Amino acid sequence: MIERYMEFFIDLSPDSQQQLDELTARERRILLDEIDVQLRYEPNVETRKRKPLDSNELATWELRVGDFRIFYDVETNPDPIVWIRAIGRKVRNKLFIGGKEIEL
């Protein structure tokens, strides 16, 4: 028997869209492909790349893609949707979003 998973709609916030637009075309393609693969089905299941975050103002989940971090929230009611809140880059132990250092 084949299991069917609920498909989630993925929506980028205006801030995350701007952060994505500031990347190279290659980086954008890599991130968008990984967002589709990792978050289209079961975005709220913890894996090596996805983890829930402690309480913070940014988002409830983090997706790791190389040096990039994608912060998102998951909603299942009334419709299944993943809200991409921010896209940042990790440089050593510092996180930069929109050119600014962020502490979570």
Side-chain angles (χ1 to χ4, degrees), residues 66-83:
D67 293 337
F68 292 98
R69 300 297 182 265
I70 299 165
F71 298 93
Y72 67 96
D73 292 319
V74 178
E75 188 176 303
T76 55
N77 289 324
D79 297 314
I81 189 165
V82 173
W83 300 97

Side-chain angles (χ1 to χ4, degrees), residues 10-24:
I10 297 173
D11 191 18
L12 287 120
S13 70
D15 286 343
S16 64
Q17 182 64 56
Q18 180 180 356
Q19 293 152 3
L20 195 62
D21 290 343
E22 292 171 357
L23 303 175
T24 66

Side-chain angles (χ1 to χ4, degrees):
M1 181 176 178
I2 297 174
E3 253 185 84
R4 301 257 332 165
Y5 295 103
M6 181 174 15
E7 185 172 353
F8 283 76
F9 178 76
I10 297 173
D11 191 18
L12 287 120
S13 70
D15 286 343
S16 64
Q17 182 64 56
Q18 180 180 356
Q19 293 152 3
L20 195 62
D21 290 343
E22 292 171 357
L23 303 175
T24 66
R26 181 176 184 275
E27 291 170 330
R28 273 195 305 275
R29 178 57 30 220
I30 290 168
L31 290 180
L32 290 173
D33 287 348
E34 198 68 15
I35 286 170
D36 191 52
V37 168
Q38 293 290 328
L39 304 182
R40 181 73 56 194
Y41 304 96
E42 298 187 314
N44 52 357
V45 174
E46 187 171 357
T47 67
R48 288 179 58 201
K49 292 185 175 192
R50 295 187 304 249
K51 71 175 189 174
L53 296 173
D54 293 332
S55 181
N56 67 70
E57 297 176 5
L58 195 53
T60 54
W61 285 87
E62 175 187 68
L63 171 64
R64 291 183 291 162
V65 181
D67 293 337
F68 292 98
R69 300 297 182 265
I70 299 165
F71 298 93
Y72 67 96
D73 292 319
V74 178
E75 188 176 303
T76 55
N77 289 324
D79 297 314
I81 189 165
V82 173
W83 300 97
I84 306 291
R85 302 296 185 193
I87 298 171
R89 186 185 304 256
K90 194 88 182 245
V91 179
R92 293 189 180 90
N93 62 346
K94 297 181 180 185
L95 173 67
F96 294 90
I97 297 176
K100 297 178 184 173
E101 186 177 349
I102 304 293
E103 295 223 13
L104 292 179

